[in-house]
Amino acid sequence: MNDNPKPAPRAHALDRLLGGLSALPVALIVVLTFADVLGRYVFSSPLRGSVELIEYAMALVIFTALPLVTRSRGHVSVSLIDGLVRGTAKRFKLVLCDALSALALGLMTWRLWVQGTEDLEAGTSTIVLGLPQAPLSFALAAFAGISVLVVLMLIAATLRQAGEAA
């Protein structure tokens, strides 16, 4: 049973956009893996750099889906006290958990941005294809930042519902 407040309906466009963005790297992983296996076993010539591209795509899958998981409050959680709290205490717990999520996501956003800056300054790139790593770090930071905004919107919605219930 999910007692969480429902997200605003206007956010469905964001869900579709982020869902589509999440599907692209998954499709890339499937195509690259197929081509690499086919090349490796049929032609004895694996696809050069496929591992690096798949690694980038895996990171993008996780971080493009992060705002969606955050919005649906789908993160792993332990519900030891859910049955013990009701009403205001339950809303307080929800806001507290969301605030902790915002803090953790904010720290992740900051560290990814710092990593991107360091990668940019150092010119860090992948070994085989020489892909720059800074753009990936900045993209991951952006998706983590979107997740922070999403969780702040959830907090606002919970507080707004609490005000309407009072």
Side-chain angles (χ1 to χ4, degrees), residues 19-71:
L21 285 175
S22 295
L24 291 174
V26 171
L28 179 64
I29 290 169
V30 170
V31 169
L32 283 173
T33 302
F34 176 78
D36 190 44
V37 169
L38 184 69
R40 183 179 311 274
Y41 292 108
V42 175
F43 302 110
S44 296
S45 179
L47 193 58
R48 183 176 173 269
S50 64
V51 171
E52 291 178 352
L53 291 172
I54 290 170
E55 288 172 347
Y56 270 43
M58 289 173 74
L60 287 170
V61 166
I62 293 165
F63 279 85
T64 54
L66 187 59
L68 292 170
V69 173
T70 301
R71 186 169 119 54

Short mmCIF file of all heavy atoms in Angstrom, two decimals, residues 19-71:
data_model
loop_
_atom_site.label_atom_id
_atom_site.label_comp_id
_atom_site.label_asym_id
_atom_site.label_seq_id
_atom_site.Cartn_x
_atom_site.Cartn_y
_atom_site.Cartn_z
N GLY A 19 11.89 9.22 -19.32
CA GLY A 19 11.76 7.82 -19.71
C GLY A 19 12.37 7.57 -21.07
O GLY A 19 13.07 6.57 -21.29
N GLY A 20 12.12 8.49 -22.00
CA GLY A 20 12.72 8.38 -23.33
C GLY A 20 14.23 8.51 -23.28
O GLY A 20 14.95 7.75 -23.95
N LEU A 21 14.70 9.44 -22.46
CA LEU A 21 16.15 9.60 -22.31
C LEU A 21 16.79 8.36 -21.68
O LEU A 21 17.92 8.02 -21.99
CB LEU A 21 16.47 10.84 -21.47
CG LEU A 21 16.30 12.18 -22.16
CD1 LEU A 21 16.52 13.33 -21.16
CD2 LEU A 21 17.24 12.32 -23.33
N SER A 22 16.06 7.71 -20.78
CA SER A 22 16.57 6.48 -20.16
C SER A 22 16.61 5.33 -21.14
O SER A 22 17.46 4.45 -21.05
CB SER A 22 15.71 6.08 -18.96
OG SER A 22 15.79 7.03 -17.95
N ALA A 23 15.67 5.32 -22.09
CA ALA A 23 15.60 4.22 -23.05
C ALA A 23 16.74 4.28 -24.07
O ALA A 23 17.19 3.24 -24.56
CB ALA A 23 14.25 4.25 -23.77
N LEU A 24 17.20 5.48 -24.39
CA LEU A 24 18.25 5.61 -25.41
C LEU A 24 19.54 4.88 -25.04
O LEU A 24 20.06 4.10 -25.85
CB LEU A 24 18.52 7.08 -25.71
CG LEU A 24 17.39 7.82 -26.44
CD1 LEU A 24 17.73 9.31 -26.56
CD2 LEU A 24 17.15 7.21 -27.80
N PRO A 25 20.09 5.10 -23.84
CA PRO A 25 21.31 4.35 -23.52
C PRO A 25 21.08 2.85 -23.39
O PRO A 25 21.97 2.06 -23.68
CB PRO A 25 21.80 4.96 -22.21
CG PRO A 25 20.72 5.84 -21.71
CD PRO A 25 19.78 6.10 -22.82
N VAL A 26 19.88 2.44 -22.98
CA VAL A 26 19.58 1.00 -22.92
C VAL A 26 19.63 0.42 -24.32
O VAL A 26 20.23 -0.64 -24.56
CB VAL A 26 18.20 0.73 -22.26
CG1 VAL A 26 17.82 -0.73 -22.41
CG2 VAL A 26 18.22 1.13 -20.80
N ALA A 27 19.02 1.12 -25.27
CA ALA A 27 19.05 0.66 -26.66
C ALA A 27 20.49 0.61 -27.18
O ALA A 27 20.87 -0.34 -27.89
CB ALA A 27 18.20 1.58 -27.53
N LEU A 28 21.29 1.62 -26.83
CA LEU A 28 22.69 1.64 -27.24
C LEU A 28 23.44 0.43 -26.67
O LEU A 28 24.23 -0.21 -27.38
CB LEU A 28 23.35 2.95 -26.79
CG LEU A 28 24.83 3.09 -27.13
CD1 LEU A 28 25.04 3.13 -28.64
CD2 LEU A 28 25.39 4.34 -26.48
N ILE A 29 23.18 0.11 -25.42
CA ILE A 29 23.83 -1.06 -24.79
C ILE A 29 23.47 -2.33 -25.54
O ILE A 29 24.33 -3.17 -25.83
CB ILE A 29 23.45 -1.15 -23.30
CG1 ILE A 29 24.09 -0.02 -22.51
CG2 ILE A 29 23.86 -2.51 -22.72
CD1 ILE A 29 23.57 0.12 -21.08
N VAL A 30 22.19 -2.48 -25.88
CA VAL A 30 21.73 -3.68 -26.59
C VAL A 30 22.41 -3.79 -27.95
O VAL A 30 22.95 -4.85 -28.32
CB VAL A 30 20.19 -3.67 -26.73
CG1 VAL A 30 19.72 -4.77 -27.68
CG2 VAL A 30 19.53 -3.82 -25.38
N VAL A 31 22.40 -2.70 -28.71
CA VAL A 31 22.99 -2.71 -30.06
C VAL A 31 24.50 -2.96 -29.99
O VAL A 31 25.04 -3.78 -30.75
CB VAL A 31 22.67 -1.39 -30.80
CG1 VAL A 31 23.48 -1.26 -32.07
CG2 VAL A 31 21.18 -1.30 -31.09
N LEU A 32 25.19 -2.26 -29.09
CA LEU A 32 26.64 -2.44 -28.98
C LEU A 32 27.00 -3.85 -28.54
O LEU A 32 27.96 -4.44 -29.06
CB LEU A 32 27.23 -1.43 -27.99
CG LEU A 32 27.40 -0.02 -28.50
CD1 LEU A 32 27.84 0.90 -27.37
CD2 LEU A 32 28.42 0.03 -29.63
N THR A 33 26.26 -4.39 -27.58
CA THR A 33 26.55 -5.74 -27.11
C THR A 33 26.33 -6.75 -28.24
O THR A 33 27.16 -7.64 -28.45
CB THR A 33 25.67 -6.09 -25.90
OG1 THR A 33 25.91 -5.13 -24.86
CG2 THR A 33 25.98 -7.48 -25.38
N PHE A 34 25.22 -6.60 -28.96
CA PHE A 34 24.94 -7.50 -30.09
C PHE A 34 26.06 -7.41 -31.13
O PHE A 34 26.59 -8.43 -31.59
CB PHE A 34 23.59 -7.16 -30.72
CG PHE A 34 23.29 -7.98 -31.94
CD1 PHE A 34 22.85 -9.29 -31.81
CD2 PHE A 34 23.47 -7.45 -33.21
CE1 PHE A 34 22.59 -10.06 -32.94
CE2 PHE A 34 23.21 -8.21 -34.34
CZ PHE A 34 22.77 -9.52 -34.20
N ALA A 35 26.42 -6.19 -31.52
CA ALA A 35 27.45 -6.00 -32.54
C ALA A 35 28.80 -6.53 -32.07
O ALA A 35 29.54 -7.14 -32.85
CB ALA A 35 27.56 -4.52 -32.91
N ASP A 36 29.11 -6.32 -30.80
CA ASP A 36 30.39 -6.78 -30.26
C ASP A 36 30.44 -8.31 -30.24
O ASP A 36 31.44 -8.91 -30.65
CB ASP A 36 30.60 -6.22 -28.85
CG ASP A 36 31.99 -6.47 -28.33
OD1 ASP A 36 32.96 -6.28 -29.09
OD2 ASP A 36 32.12 -6.86 -27.15
N VAL A 37 29.38 -8.94 -29.78
CA VAL A 37 29.35 -10.41 -29.74
C VAL A 37 29.38 -10.98 -31.15
O VAL A 37 30.13 -11.93 -31.42
CB VAL A 37 28.10 -10.90 -28.95
CG1 VAL A 37 27.91 -12.41 -29.12
CG2 VAL A 37 28.23 -10.54 -27.49
N LEU A 38 28.60 -10.40 -32.04
CA LEU A 38 28.59 -10.86 -33.44
C LEU A 38 29.99 -10.71 -34.05
O LEU A 38 30.51 -11.65 -34.66
CB LEU A 38 27.58 -10.05 -34.25
CG LEU A 38 27.39 -10.47 -35.69
CD1 LEU A 38 26.70 -11.83 -35.75
CD2 LEU A 38 26.58 -9.43 -36.45
N GLY A 39 30.59 -9.56 -33.86
CA GLY A 39 31.93 -9.33 -34.41
C GLY A 39 32.97 -10.26 -33.80
O GLY A 39 33.84 -10.78 -34.49
N ARG A 40 32.84 -10.48 -32.50
CA ARG A 40 33.82 -11.30 -31.79
C ARG A 40 33.74 -12.77 -32.22
O ARG A 40 34.74 -13.41 -32.48
CB ARG A 40 33.59 -11.18 -30.28
CG ARG A 40 34.57 -11.93 -29.42
CD ARG A 40 34.29 -11.72 -27.93
NE ARG A 40 34.12 -10.34 -27.57
CZ ARG A 40 35.10 -9.49 -27.25
NH1 ARG A 40 36.35 -9.92 -27.27
NH2 ARG A 40 34.85 -8.25 -26.93
N TYR A 41 32.53 -13.33 -32.29
CA TYR A 41 32.39 -14.77 -32.51
C TYR A 41 32.19 -15.16 -33.98
O TYR A 41 32.52 -16.27 -34.36
CB TYR A 41 31.25 -15.34 -31.65
CG TYR A 41 31.60 -15.29 -30.19
CD1 TYR A 41 30.99 -14.39 -29.34
CD2 TYR A 41 32.59 -16.12 -29.67
CE1 TYR A 41 31.33 -14.32 -28.00
CE2 TYR A 41 32.95 -16.06 -28.34
CZ TYR A 41 32.31 -15.17 -27.50
OH TYR A 41 32.65 -15.10 -26.18
N VAL A 42 31.67 -14.26 -34.79
CA VAL A 42 31.46 -14.60 -36.20
C VAL A 42 32.65 -14.15 -37.05
O VAL A 42 33.11 -14.87 -37.92
CB VAL A 42 30.14 -13.98 -36.72
CG1 VAL A 42 29.97 -14.22 -38.22
CG2 VAL A 42 28.95 -14.56 -35.97
N PHE A 43 33.16 -12.94 -36.76
CA PHE A 43 34.22 -12.38 -37.59
C PHE A 43 35.58 -12.32 -36.87
O PHE A 43 36.54 -11.79 -37.42
CB PHE A 43 33.83 -10.97 -38.06
CG PHE A 43 32.55 -10.94 -38.83
CD1 PHE A 43 31.42 -10.36 -38.28
CD2 PHE A 43 32.46 -11.50 -40.10
CE1 PHE A 43 30.23 -10.33 -38.97
CE2 PHE A 43 31.27 -11.47 -40.81
CZ PHE A 43 30.15 -10.89 -40.24
N SER A 44 35.64 -12.81 -35.65
CA SER A 44 36.86 -12.76 -34.83
C SER A 44 37.41 -11.34 -34.73
O SER A 44 38.62 -11.12 -34.73
CB SER A 44 37.93 -13.70 -35.39
OG SER A 44 37.51 -15.03 -35.32
N SER A 45 36.53 -10.37 -34.68
CA SER A 45 36.92 -8.97 -34.60
C SER A 45 35.92 -8.20 -33.73
O SER A 45 34.90 -7.71 -34.23
CB SER A 45 36.97 -8.37 -36.00
OG SER A 45 37.33 -7.01 -35.94
N PRO A 46 36.21 -8.10 -32.42
CA PRO A 46 35.27 -7.38 -31.55
C PRO A 46 35.20 -5.90 -31.90
O PRO A 46 36.09 -5.36 -32.55
CB PRO A 46 35.86 -7.59 -30.16
CG PRO A 46 37.29 -7.90 -30.38
CD PRO A 46 37.39 -8.57 -31.72
N LEU A 47 34.14 -5.28 -31.50
CA LEU A 47 33.93 -3.86 -31.75
C LEU A 47 34.86 -3.04 -30.86
O LEU A 47 34.80 -3.12 -29.63
CB LEU A 47 32.46 -3.51 -31.47
CG LEU A 47 31.94 -2.18 -31.95
CD1 LEU A 47 32.10 -2.04 -33.46
CD2 LEU A 47 30.47 -2.04 -31.58
N ARG A 48 35.72 -2.26 -31.48
CA ARG A 48 36.72 -1.48 -30.75
C ARG A 48 36.03 -0.42 -29.87
O ARG A 48 35.23 0.37 -30.35
CB ARG A 48 37.66 -0.79 -31.74
CG ARG A 48 38.77 -0.01 -31.07
CD ARG A 48 39.73 0.56 -32.12
NE ARG A 48 40.68 1.42 -31.51
CZ ARG A 48 40.52 2.73 -31.36
NH1 ARG A 48 39.44 3.32 -31.80
NH2 ARG A 48 41.45 3.46 -30.77
N GLY A 49 36.35 -0.41 -28.59
CA GLY A 49 35.82 0.60 -27.68
C GLY A 49 34.42 0.35 -27.17
O GLY A 49 33.85 1.19 -26.49
N SER A 50 33.86 -0.82 -27.48
CA SER A 50 32.48 -1.08 -27.06
C SER A 50 32.34 -1.09 -25.54
O SER A 50 31.32 -0.63 -25.02
CB SER A 50 31.98 -2.40 -27.65
OG SER A 50 32.72 -3.49 -27.15
N VAL A 51 33.33 -1.57 -24.84
CA VAL A 51 33.26 -1.61 -23.37
C VAL A 51 33.16 -0.20 -22.81
O VAL A 51 32.35 0.07 -21.92
CB VAL A 51 34.46 -2.37 -22.78
CG1 VAL A 51 34.51 -2.23 -21.27
CG2 VAL A 51 34.41 -3.83 -23.18
N GLU A 52 33.94 0.73 -23.34
CA GLU A 52 33.90 2.11 -22.86
C GLU A 52 32.54 2.74 -23.15
O GLU A 52 31.98 3.44 -22.29
CB GLU A 52 34.99 2.95 -23.53
CG GLU A 52 36.38 2.56 -23.07
CD GLU A 52 37.47 3.35 -23.77
OE1 GLU A 52 37.18 4.11 -24.72
OE2 GLU A 52 38.62 3.20 -23.35
N LEU A 53 32.01 2.51 -24.34
CA LEU A 53 30.71 3.07 -24.69
C LEU A 53 29.61 2.48 -23.81
O LEU A 53 28.70 3.20 -23.38
CB LEU A 53 30.41 2.84 -26.17
CG LEU A 53 31.28 3.62 -27.14
CD1 LEU A 53 31.02 3.16 -28.57
CD2 LEU A 53 31.03 5.12 -27.02
N ILE A 54 29.70 1.19 -23.54
CA ILE A 54 28.70 0.55 -22.68
C ILE A 54 28.80 1.08 -21.26
O ILE A 54 27.78 1.30 -20.60
CB ILE A 54 28.83 -0.99 -22.75
CG1 ILE A 54 28.37 -1.48 -24.13
CG2 ILE A 54 28.05 -1.67 -21.64
CD1 ILE A 54 28.66 -2.94 -24.41
N GLU A 55 30.02 1.31 -20.78
CA GLU A 55 30.19 1.88 -19.44
C GLU A 55 29.55 3.27 -19.35
O GLU A 55 28.86 3.59 -18.38
CB GLU A 55 31.67 1.97 -19.07
CG GLU A 55 32.30 0.63 -18.77
CD GLU A 55 33.80 0.70 -18.60
OE1 GLU A 55 34.42 1.74 -18.95
OE2 GLU A 55 34.38 -0.28 -18.10
N TYR A 56 29.77 4.10 -20.35
CA TYR A 56 29.15 5.43 -20.39
C TYR A 56 27.63 5.30 -20.41
O TYR A 56 26.91 6.00 -19.69
CB TYR A 56 29.61 6.21 -21.63
CG TYR A 56 30.85 7.04 -21.45
CD1 TYR A 56 31.95 6.57 -20.77
CD2 TYR A 56 30.91 8.32 -22.00
CE1 TYR A 56 33.09 7.33 -20.63
CE2 TYR A 56 32.05 9.09 -21.85
CZ TYR A 56 33.14 8.59 -21.16
OH TYR A 56 34.26 9.36 -21.01
N ALA A 57 27.14 4.38 -21.25
CA ALA A 57 25.69 4.20 -21.38
C ALA A 57 25.08 3.70 -20.07
O ALA A 57 23.98 4.12 -19.70
CB ALA A 57 25.38 3.25 -22.53
N MET A 58 25.78 2.83 -19.36
CA MET A 58 25.26 2.32 -18.09
C MET A 58 25.13 3.45 -17.07
O MET A 58 24.12 3.52 -16.34
CB MET A 58 26.16 1.21 -17.55
CG MET A 58 26.05 -0.07 -18.36
SD MET A 58 27.23 -1.33 -17.87
CE MET A 58 26.53 -1.86 -16.33
N ALA A 59 26.11 4.32 -17.02
CA ALA A 59 26.02 5.47 -16.12
C ALA A 59 24.84 6.35 -16.49
O ALA A 59 24.09 6.82 -15.62
CB ALA A 59 27.33 6.27 -16.16
N LEU A 60 24.64 6.55 -17.79
CA LEU A 60 23.51 7.37 -18.24
C LEU A 60 22.17 6.72 -17.94
O LEU A 60 21.20 7.40 -17.60
CB LEU A 60 23.64 7.68 -19.73
CG LEU A 60 24.73 8.70 -20.07
CD1 LEU A 60 24.96 8.75 -21.57
CD2 LEU A 60 24.37 10.08 -19.53
N VAL A 61 22.09 5.40 -18.06
CA VAL A 61 20.84 4.70 -17.72
C VAL A 61 20.48 4.98 -16.26
O VAL A 61 19.33 5.33 -15.95
CB VAL A 61 20.96 3.18 -17.95
CG1 VAL A 61 19.82 2.42 -17.29
CG2 VAL A 61 21.02 2.84 -19.41
N ILE A 62 21.44 4.84 -15.39
CA ILE A 62 21.18 5.04 -13.96
C ILE A 62 20.76 6.48 -13.67
O ILE A 62 19.76 6.73 -13.00
CB ILE A 62 22.43 4.65 -13.13
CG1 ILE A 62 22.66 3.15 -13.24
CG2 ILE A 62 22.29 5.09 -11.68
CD1 ILE A 62 24.02 2.69 -12.78
N PHE A 63 21.50 7.43 -14.19
CA PHE A 63 21.25 8.82 -13.82
C PHE A 63 20.08 9.45 -14.56
O PHE A 63 19.46 10.38 -14.04
CB PHE A 63 22.53 9.65 -13.94
CG PHE A 63 23.41 9.49 -12.74
CD1 PHE A 63 24.29 8.42 -12.65
CD2 PHE A 63 23.33 10.37 -11.67
CE1 PHE A 63 25.08 8.25 -11.53
CE2 PHE A 63 24.12 10.21 -10.55
CZ PHE A 63 25.00 9.14 -10.48
N THR A 64 19.74 8.97 -15.76
CA THR A 64 18.55 9.50 -16.43
C THR A 64 17.29 8.96 -15.75
O THR A 64 16.26 9.62 -15.76
CB THR A 64 18.52 9.16 -17.94
OG1 THR A 64 18.66 7.76 -18.11
CG2 THR A 64 19.61 9.91 -18.68
N ALA A 65 17.39 7.77 -15.16
CA ALA A 65 16.24 7.20 -14.45
C ALA A 65 16.13 7.71 -13.02
O ALA A 65 15.06 7.60 -12.42
CB ALA A 65 16.33 5.68 -14.46
N LEU A 66 17.19 8.29 -12.49
CA LEU A 66 17.18 8.74 -11.09
C LEU A 66 16.04 9.71 -10.78
O LEU A 66 15.35 9.53 -9.76
CB LEU A 66 18.55 9.35 -10.74
CG LEU A 66 18.78 9.73 -9.29
CD1 LEU A 66 18.65 8.52 -8.37
CD2 LEU A 66 20.17 10.34 -9.15
N PRO A 67 15.77 10.73 -11.61
CA PRO A 67 14.63 11.61 -11.29
C PRO A 67 13.29 10.87 -11.32
O PRO A 67 12.39 11.19 -10.53
CB PRO A 67 14.69 12.68 -12.39
CG PRO A 67 16.07 12.65 -12.90
CD PRO A 67 16.54 11.24 -12.75
N LEU A 68 13.15 9.88 -12.20
CA LEU A 68 11.90 9.10 -12.26
C LEU A 68 11.70 8.28 -10.99
O LEU A 68 10.61 8.24 -10.42
CB LEU A 68 11.92 8.17 -13.47
CG LEU A 68 11.87 8.82 -14.84
CD1 LEU A 68 12.13 7.80 -15.93
CD2 LEU A 68 10.53 9.50 -15.04
N VAL A 69 12.76 7.63 -10.55
CA VAL A 69 12.69 6.82 -9.33
C VAL A 69 12.43 7.73 -8.14
O VAL A 69 11.63 7.40 -7.25
CB VAL A 69 14.00 6.02 -9.15
CG1 VAL A 69 14.03 5.30 -7.81
CG2 VAL A 69 14.15 5.02 -10.28
N THR A 70 13.07 8.88 -8.12
CA THR A 70 12.88 9.82 -7.02
C THR A 70 11.45 10.32 -6.98
O THR A 70 10.83 10.38 -5.92
CB THR A 70 13.85 11.02 -7.18
OG1 THR A 70 15.20 10.51 -7.18
CG2 THR A 70 13.69 12.01 -6.07
N ARG A 71 10.89 10.67 -8.14
CA ARG A 71 9.53 11.20 -8.20
C ARG A 71 8.49 10.19 -7.74
O ARG A 71 7.51 10.53 -7.10
CB ARG A 71 9.21 11.67 -9.62
CG ARG A 71 7.88 12.37 -9.72
CD ARG A 71 7.74 13.04 -11.05
NE ARG A 71 6.67 12.63 -11.90
CZ ARG A 71 5.39 12.58 -11.59
NH1 ARG A 71 5.00 12.87 -10.39
NH2 ARG A 71 4.50 12.23 -12.47
#
